[in-house]
Amino acid sequence: MTDSTKTLCPYCGVGCGLEVSPPAALGKATNRDSQGTPIWKVRGDKSHPSSQGMVCVKGATISEPLTKNRLRYPMVRDSLNEEFRRVSWEEALEKIADRIQTVRLSQGADAICMYGSGQFQTEDYYVAQKLMKGCLGTNNFDANSRLCMSSAVSGYVQSFGSDGPPCCYEDLDLTDCAFLIGTNTAECHPIVFNRLHKHCKQDRNAKMVVVDPRRTPTAEAADLHLAIRPGTDIDLLNGIAHLLMRWGYVDTQFIDDCTANFPAFAEVIQHYTPEVVARKCDIQIDDLETAARYWGESQRVLSLWSMGVNQSSEGTAKVRSIINLHLMTGQIGKPGAGPFSLTGQPNAMGGREA
Ligand code: SF4
């Protein structure tokens, strides 16, 4: 018997497992903050598969807002000029149902929509869809996660015919070469980064390459930081592909068995010589060659990216360029390797699939 409840941190795409327990429990000292106010206690859930008991400062302090000025009951106002007033849950729900019914009867079900987020759990999505589609009769339900990672979705679909990232968190512990592009993982997905960084420190042969115009905390931890000119990601990726091709780091068996139109791709990348790419990206040829060598010499390459790629111009083409590197070298479909889009919210995939 335990007085704690298992739940998830809702803040970022890692979705760390948490155990929370109330401020006071019989026979135990009351949990208090530094001002002496009783607060809920939060710790990492050691049995959680992705976070393994780790939490970052955001998750560890998640209970603090509970004691602050939060909305704890429904409040309504009939016009924007009025002050909010507290109402009962019955009154609030009745108002919502009445309003929906009025719109449905006067303008039709398609005049109603619901917009969710990647913080919904899959079960929440399911119930929301039931309400919108089964009960009200409209398909107008979507979640912000579709927009958030739509470039990754389109890139995966165009390359693979399916939008699921073909990787998992265990790959972080197994990779020889982590290639991070358009992602400040250390600050935006801290527990993913901690896990990867720990692995790279333990395995001295594992390399971390970070592609980012800024010198972020993620870049600080890299073996190689490529501070490319903003917007030249595809030049860089095709430049690496050019060198991999030139140096013979291609998996011809995988290309024959699992890809299509490789000659057309080879024709494109032959124009991305190191001289051209270094000039366009504003990086040293040596650094470009080092990145290509790390990729080519590794047994298991894991690329990681997030909104620096997904929410940029030509985002889908950038995703496909990353995936092309994996396909030409057969760095996919095995432990520690693959193209891994890091989502911004813990249940981004669920939002699109429910
Ligand atoms: S890494 Fe993300 S999900 Fe995990 S505790 Fe920090 S903010 Fe929450």
Side-chain angles (χ1 to χ4, degrees), residues 13 20 149 201:
V20 296
M149 60 177 295
K201 283 209 290 203

Side-chain angles (χ1 to χ4, degrees), residues 112-124:
I112 305 165
C113 72
M114 182 185 286
Y115 196 52
S117 88
Q119 259 79 11
F120 269 30
Q121 298 198 355
T122 303
E123 292 79 3
D124 299 328

Side-chain angles (χ1 to χ4, degrees), residues 9 64 80 83 141 149 161-162 173 183 241 246 250 254 271 291:
C9 174
E64 291 182 13
L80 294 178
E83 293 293 315
F141 175 86
M149 60 177 295
S162 164
D173 307 326
T183 177
R246 183 190 285 184
V250 289
F254 184 88
H271 302 292

Side-chain angles (χ1 to χ4, degrees), residues 15-227:
C16 295
L18 303 177
E19 281 186 43
V20 296
S21 43
L26 206 58
K28 288 190 178 171
T30 302
N31 299 316
R32 296 179 188 278
D33 67 12
S34 54
Q35 268 84 49
T37 309
I39 55 165
W40 286 66
K41 186 174 181 182
V42 180
R43 63 174 177 226
D45 176 2
K46 287 199 170 72
S47 66
H48 194 269
S50 72
S51 52
Q52 302 172 334
M54 294 184 284
V55 283
C56 76
V57 67
K58 290 180 274 187
T61 55
I62 201 167
S63 68
E64 291 182 13
L66 294 175
T67 59
K68 301 290 184 295
N69 189 18
R70 287 176 62 85
L71 185 64
R72 296 169 194 274
Y73 37 75
M75 297 186 74
V76 300
R77 59 181 174 184
D78 294 322
S79 80
L80 294 178
N81 298 325
E82 294 176 20
E83 293 293 315
F84 279 109
R85 63 186 167 81
R86 181 175 176 173
V87 294
S88 66
W89 280 103
E90 289 73 21
E91 185 180 344
L93 289 171
E94 215 153 281
K95 274 182 180 295
I96 294 168
D98 280 352
R99 185 72 189 135
I100 289 174
Q101 194 67 333
T102 302
V103 171
R104 194 169 77 93
L105 293 176
S106 61
Q107 299 172 57
D110 281 338
I112 305 165
C113 72
M114 182 185 286
Y115 196 52
S117 88
Q119 259 79 11
F120 269 30
Q121 298 198 355
T122 303
E123 292 79 3
D124 299 328
Y125 282 124
Y126 179 78
V127 174
Q129 299 265 7
K130 276 282 185 204
L131 170 65
M132 297 305 286
K133 295 181 181 176
C135 177
L136 295 174
T138 175
N139 281 331
N140 292 343
F141 175 86
D142 208 348
N144 65 345
S145 45
R146 183 185 304 280
L147 184 64
C148 175
M149 60 177 295
S150 57
S151 304
V153 171
S154 301
Y156 281 133
V157 168
Q158 288 176 13
S159 290
F160 302 138
S162 164
D163 69 353
C167 304
C168 61
Y169 285 141
E170 279 82 0
D171 292 327
L172 300 166
D173 307 326
L174 299 169
T175 188
D176 298 328
C177 176
F179 185 89
L180 290 80
I181 178 166
T183 177
N184 182 9
T185 321
E187 290 186 314
C188 300
H189 298 88
I191 297 306
V192 159
F193 183 77
N194 288 356
R195 191 163 166 179
L196 177 65
H197 196 212
K198 186 173 156 199
H199 164 66
C200 290
K201 283 209 290 203
Q202 283 171 349
D203 180 351
R204 298 306 303 165
N205 294 321
K207 301 295 182 198
M208 190 194 298
V209 179
V210 172
V211 181
D212 195 317
R214 300 180 305 144
R215 187 86 179 161
T216 61
T218 311
E220 293 282 351
D223 295 285
L224 174 66
H225 173 210
L226 295 170

